[in-house]
Amino acid sequence: MSVGLLISSLVNICLGISHSFWVFVILWGVNGWVQSIGAPSSVVGLSRWFTDKERGSYYGFWSASHNIGEALTFIATAFIVSIAGWRWGFAAAGIAGLIGAAVILLFMKDSPTSQGLPSVIPPKEREKPAGKAQLEVLKNPYIWILALASACMYISRYAINSWGIFFLENQKSYSSVEASSIIAISSVCGIISTVLSGYLSDKLFKGNRIVPAVLFGLCNTLAITLFVFVPKGHYYIDILSMILFGLSIGVLICYLGGLMATDIAPKKASGAALGVVGIASYIGAGLQDIMSGQLIGDSKTPVDGIASYDFSSIRYFWIGAAALSVLFCALLWGGKKRVNK
């Protein structure tokens, strides 16, 4: 985990000083690859240190890191870039990552047994070979349905995170600072909902993740619909849409992005389960960037020397992805007993 963050930090610093398009592309790919190390490593740690009864609460608390990072990114990076230029946006992120890598090396421990403490993994699961447990994950259809649900959710998530500021600037005439501030609201709300999501599912829904996942999936679809269809001049509705989006995405990142996978999979294969879901999720995120960029680029027309964009097609792509995520999540209802074992 620390090695992945260290490489990512160095790559970010290199991105800030790069002048070549292809060097930038390669570094961008390496950055995405090494960043993917973080989530499975964290989930393995959570599975080793916490029991089934407390997994949801601690997983929700851990999942808030996504939103904390995003909120800091939208606010701090916009501030740094406005003062020192875009290259320092990458450099500052790289320096912060170097500090994080040092913290992991100093304070994160591999497992309770490595510190002379008893293991929380049941004896029956400890006896199962890791390879067999991982094979069970790959053969489990509910893992793959969950992966598709998460992939579609990531399309809707990164549609707003990657293009939300651009959309607000060009479709609703906000300034860069105003647009960044509105999008940052979603990340702040996401922190709250992510922290509470695991606890609520443990206590309120008795470990059932499917019901709240479907409810918040519908909320996510509504939020994106408000965001893209309400015309400019409705500032408070734009804020409301980002509040709903942040609250719903925070919960969905926790449930679809990994917690439900660890519920289904054996503890020895929790990293593999999250890996399958993670690969699908970031494939969805990557396809979103390509398709959104293509659709937005194709709609570009010059008006009096100024670029104008038609977001008609992209609206349905983003909303459709959110709706499909709800549909795939609902299909997990057939595996309710297995998911809540």
Side-chain angles (χ1 to χ4, degrees):
M1 186 174 180
S2 57
V3 169
L5 182 53
L6 174 64
I7 296 173
S8 177
S9 304
L10 296 175
V11 166
N12 269 269
I13 293 171
C14 291
L15 284 168
I17 60 177
S18 172
H19 293 274
S20 167
F21 171 76
W22 288 111
V23 170
F24 199 95
V25 169
I26 293 170
L27 289 174
W28 196 259
V30 172
N31 192 41
W33 173 46
V34 295
Q35 281 187 7
S36 68
I37 296 172
S41 300
S42 297
V43 168
V44 169
L46 288 166
S47 296
R48 289 176 178 175
W49 280 94
F50 302 109
T51 64
D52 291 353
K53 291 183 179 180
E54 53 189 358
R55 179 196 298 136
S57 300
Y58 284 103
Y59 192 101
F61 182 78
W62 165 78
S63 291
S65 61
H66 297 78
N67 303 97
I68 293 171
E70 286 175 358
L72 291 175
T73 296
F74 285 127
I75 297 171
T77 304
F79 177 75
I80 292 169
V81 169
S82 66
I83 294 175
W86 67 269
R87 294 186 183 276
W88 272 101
F90 284 106
I95 293 169
L98 292 175
I99 296 172
V103 169
I104 294 171
L105 278 173
L106 290 172
F107 297 106
M108 187 171 179
K109 306 302 179 182
D110 184 60
S111 64
T113 54
S114 70
Q115 302 301 305
L117 300 170
S119 174
V120 301
I121 301 176
K124 187 177 180 179
E125 286 197 32
R126 291 202 298 268
E127 295 171 1
K128 183 183 294 185
K132 183 178 180 181
Q134 291 170 345
L135 188 60
E136 287 181 10
V137 167
L138 295 177
K139 290 181 177 180
N140 192 325
Y142 296 117
I143 290 289
W144 294 101
I145 294 172
L146 179 62
L148 289 172
S150 185
C152 292
M153 180 269 290
Y154 264 64
I155 290 175
S156 66
R157 176 192 179 194
Y158 280 99
I160 302 301
N161 290 349
S162 296
W163 299 97
I165 294 174
F166 183 83
F167 179 86
L168 289 175
E169 290 174 342
N170 289 273
Q171 184 71 10
K172 302 194 179 185
S173 303
Y174 287 107
S175 68
S176 296
V177 174
E178 289 172 337
S180 297
S181 299
I182 291 172
I183 299 298
I185 290 172
S186 67
S187 295
V188 174
C189 292
I191 294 170
I192 299 171
S193 64
T194 305
V195 170
L196 294 176
S197 59
Y199 178 82
L200 290 175
S201 68
D202 280 347
K203 305 299 182 182
L204 184 61
F205 292 96
K206 307 301 180 182
N208 188 320
R209 327 288 185 192
I210 299 174
V211 172
V214 169
L215 292 175
F216 281 96
L218 292 171
C219 181
N220 178 43
T221 306
L222 172 63
I224 297 176
T225 302
L226 289 174
F227 183 77
V228 298
F229 275 108
V230 172
K232 67 179 180 180
H234 295 80
Y235 175 72
Y236 291 105
I237 295 181
D238 292 332
I239 290 179
L240 174 63
S241 69
M242 286 299 93
I243 291 173
L244 294 175
F245 176 78
L247 292 174
S248 57
I249 283 294
V251 172
L252 295 174
I253 287 174
C254 178
Y255 294 164
L256 303 185
L259 179 54
M260 290 171 68
T262 61
D263 285 343
I264 299 171
K267 275 188 175 289
K268 275 198 172 182
S270 56
L274 190 71
V276 171
V277 174
I279 289 172
S281 299
Y282 282 103
I283 287 175
L287 289 174
Q288 178 281 133
D289 267 335
I290 294 171
M291 294 182 67
S292 294
Q294 187 68 43
L295 289 169
I296 292 173
D298 289 345
S299 72
K300 179 180 177 181
T301 54
V303 178
D304 297 329
I306 300 175
S308 178
Y309 297 90
D310 180 4
F311 293 94
S312 300
S313 299
I314 204 71
R315 291 168 174 160
Y316 296 104
F317 172 48
W318 293 348
I319 294 171
L324 275 175
S325 178
V326 179
L327 175 61
F328 284 125
C329 187
L331 293 177
L332 290 170
W333 227 291
K336 183 176 179 180
K337 291 182 179 180
R338 178 59 179 151
V339 171
N340 297 309
K341 68 181 178 62

